[in-house]
Amino acid sequence: MISHASNILLRMVGLVLVLYVVIIASLVFFIVPFFFVLPRVCLAPYFFIYGDLKVGEAIAASWHSTKGHSKSIYGILIINVALALLFITIIGIPLRFTLELLTQDPLALFVLYLSQPKKD
C-alpha cells in the first residue's frame, strides 16, 4: 500500500512539473496562448487521480474534456482568487490555509461533471 501511494505521489510530482513547464512556456513564449492553454490543462491533476491515468493521458483528458468549457473554468478560478484575496486581507493568513481545500472542490466537481457520459 505504501509503495502504491509513493508511486502515485511520484507520478503526481511528474505531472505537476510537466504542467508547470507547459504553462510557463506558453506564458514566456506566447503570452496570448497562455490564456487558452491554462484552462485546458488545469484539470489534469484531477483527471490523474480520478481516472488513475499516466501523465500524458491526464493532460490529454483534461485538454479534450475542457473544450468549450474555458469560461466555466475561468469563472471557478476567478472565484478561487477572490476567496483567496478575501481570506488573506480580511480573515487572515492562518484561516486561509485552513480553507484552501474548500476552494479546490469546484474544480474536482467539474471534472466529475465532464467525466459523465454525454447524453444526446
Side-chain angles (χ1 to χ4, degrees):
M1 181 155 185
I2 293 176
S3 64
H4 180 66
S6 64
N7 185 21
I8 291 175
L9 179 65
L10 288 175
R11 288 182 13 213
M12 179 62 95
V13 169
L15 172 68
V16 169
L17 290 176
V18 169
L19 285 177
Y20 281 149
V21 167
V22 167
I23 290 172
I24 290 172
S26 69
L27 181 63
V28 169
F29 295 120
F30 312 104
I31 292 175
V32 173
F34 167 76
F35 296 104
F36 298 108
V37 171
L38 177 67
R40 299 293 299 272
V41 298
C42 74
L43 298 180
Y46 301 100
F47 280 106
F48 175 79
I49 296 295
Y50 178 69
D52 194 29
L53 303 174
K54 295 179 181 169
V55 172
E57 294 171 342
I59 293 172
S62 176
W63 188 268
H64 295 299
S65 295
T66 56
K67 184 176 183 179
H69 297 285
S70 293
K71 291 179 184 176
S72 301
I73 293 172
Y74 271 125
I76 293 170
L77 293 176
I78 288 170
I79 289 172
N80 283 342
V81 169
L83 286 173
L85 291 174
L86 175 73
F87 290 141
I88 288 173
T89 57
I90 296 174
I91 299 172
I93 294 173
L95 188 60
R96 191 245 186 247
F97 288 121
T98 305
L99 298 174
E100 173 68 25
L101 295 175
L102 296 176
T103 62
Q104 296 301 317
D105 290 343
L107 288 173
L109 291 174
F110 197 65
V111 167
L112 291 175
Y113 167 74
L114 292 176
S115 299
Q116 293 177 352
K118 305 292 184 228
K119 297 177 184 175
D120 291 327

